[in-house]
Amino acid sequence: MKISKDTFDNDVELVRLDGRLDVHSTPIVLEMFENMIHDSVIKVILDMSKVEFISSYGLGMLVTTLKNIEDKGGSLKLASLQPEIKAPMEVTGILSRFEVFSNAEEALGSFA
């Protein structure tokens, strides 16, 4: 799993994931989010355009991260969900808990 981050003027952090969000990579991504929340980064866009697979561990991590960010008064928005990622999120009912955008630029604009 490759992770890259960009910070924008309005304190929004754009996180891009590239790879598989599975039992091996999920702990790394979760730790990154926990550190961000600890540092008061609570406006987050997660660009999933290059995520090719998500396991139940990854789904659980997304829900946990969303709850932790919302508990701090922030929001986690998803962008560029691929069909193979969107489908399990819809089936499990998780997708409805998130604000979802077709791309990162739209998600960024929603923070304005």
Side-chain angles (χ1 to χ4, degrees):
M1 172 67 64
K2 295 178 188 173
I3 303 169
S4 62
K5 297 190 289 184
D6 290 308
T7 304
F8 293 89
D9 291 338
N10 51 357
D11 295 326
V12 175
E13 189 86 15
L14 172 61
V15 177
R16 292 181 184 94
L17 301 180
D18 184 347
R20 297 172 58 87
L21 199 48
D22 57 20
V23 67
H24 302 291
S25 62
T26 296
I28 297 162
V29 177
L30 182 59
E31 181 179 8
M32 176 208 55
F33 278 125
E34 288 172 347
N35 290 335
M36 289 171 60
I37 294 165
H38 180 265
D39 293 339
S40 298
V41 176
I42 57 170
K43 295 182 193 174
V44 181
I45 299 167
L46 183 57
D47 183 334
M48 307 268 288
S49 60
K50 294 187 177 178
V51 176
E52 56 200 38
F53 173 80
I54 189 165
S55 71
S56 59
Y57 290 98
L59 294 172
M61 181 275 302
L62 288 177
V63 172
T64 297
T65 300
L66 175 66
K67 182 185 179 320
N68 291 342
I69 288 175
E70 287 179 341
D71 286 351
K72 297 286 186 176
S75 59
L76 171 64
K77 302 181 183 198
L78 304 180
S80 304
L81 290 176
Q82 300 304 307
E84 58 271 16
I85 305 306
K86 192 173 185 177
M89 293 183 76
E90 287 176 326
V91 167
T92 59
I94 291 171
L95 190 63
S96 64
R97 298 193 57 192
F98 291 89
E99 286 185 75
V100 180
F101 296 85
S102 60
N103 57 56
E105 292 77 22
E106 285 183 13
L108 183 60
S110 74
F111 280 106

